[in-house]
Amino acid sequence: LLQTLFGRKPVKNQIIINAERLETRVAVLQDGELTDFFIERPSEDRIVGSVFKGRIQNLEDSLQAAFIDIGLKKNAFIHYWDMIPEDSLRLEAAEGGDSDASRQQRRNRQLAAEIQQRFPIGSEIVVQVTKGPIGTKGPRVSANLSIAGRYLVLLPGSSLKGVSRRIEQREERE
């Protein structure tokens, strides 16, 4: 198509940008094939995926959540189980004889005590926005960071290794 339109062979990698008042569109081509397509609208605040260093403002044991000042109008909301990286929060259900509700209550109390000890009010925490603010509510965040690159996903604080779904061949994924 590019050769037909422009009378030349496509270069290996191309970025095509179409910027208008209402939106900007970006297409990424590799060997003439579309590999990525992005649309950005100036009216949309895109903070989902952004990483912030915040300060704990309030711990709410009844909600099992904390509120964190990340520099926006409203404090961010984080569940207790999202405050500790996944690898260190692997709770085993090895206890026996208790009802599920009783076991869950004990876990919640243990988690709340651990959170209060590790994250006192005023302490700093690095978080990533998982859901943007809606109405009067602030954004939802997580301390389980996920930073995606072109072929790999960096997961700080986790022993997991992330490989892009774009790599379909098993040998290459390995």
Side-chain angles (χ1 to χ4, degrees):
L1 177 66
L2 290 174
Q3 189 173 3
T4 306
L5 292 174
F6 300 109
R8 61 177 180 213
K9 289 186 178 180
V11 291
K12 188 170 185 167
N13 295 319
Q14 277 188 312
I15 299 175
I16 301 172
I17 301 171
N18 176 283
E20 296 178 359
R21 188 174 61 83
L22 296 177
E23 69 183 17
T24 300
R25 293 177 289 279
V26 177
V28 178
L29 303 173
Q30 286 185 338
D31 294 326
E33 285 191 33
L34 181 68
T35 58
D36 283 311
F37 184 72
F38 306 98
I39 296 176
E40 181 177 295
R41 294 178 180 92
S43 62
E44 297 175 2
D45 286 337
R46 297 175 299 115
I47 65 165
V48 173
S50 298
V51 177
F52 293 90
K53 181 178 179 182
R55 189 171 303 277
I56 306 284
Q57 295 297 308
N58 195 15
L59 297 172
E60 289 290 338
D61 291 339
S62 61
L63 295 174
Q64 292 282 299
F67 293 91
I68 302 172
D69 180 7
I70 59 172
L72 301 176
K73 292 177 186 175
K74 289 286 192 177
N75 287 338
F77 173 86
I78 185 170
H79 286 288
Y80 280 175
W81 55 84
D82 280 338
M83 292 178 76
I84 302 172
E86 286 179 15
D87 280 2
S88 60
L89 189 61
R90 304 243 186 253
L91 297 174
E92 297 296 327
E95 307 111 14
D98 290 342
S99 70
D100 287 340
S102 169
R103 192 177 318 130
Q104 186 63 38
Q105 286 176 342
R106 189 168 60 247
R107 283 185 189 160
N108 288 346
R109 282 193 302 274
Q110 289 171 344
L111 183 58
E114 183 179 356
I115 292 296
Q116 289 173 0
Q117 183 180 7
R118 288 178 69 171
F119 300 101
I121 292 176
S123 63
E124 294 179 336
I125 184 172
V126 177
V127 294
Q128 184 173 29
V129 177
T130 58
K131 187 175 180 183
I134 298 175
T136 61
K137 297 180 179 181
R140 171 127 183 240
V141 296
S142 174
N144 294 304
L145 305 182
S146 172
I147 303 168
R150 186 172 195 91
Y151 298 111
L152 297 175
V153 179
L154 178 63
L155 302 164
S158 175
S159 62
L160 299 174
K161 309 277 188 286
V163 179
S164 173
R165 291 187 196 121
R166 290 184 185 180
I167 302 174
E168 295 176 3
Q169 297 175 353
R170 188 174 58 103
E171 301 84 27
E172 190 174 356
R173 289 184 69 83
E174 292 297 321

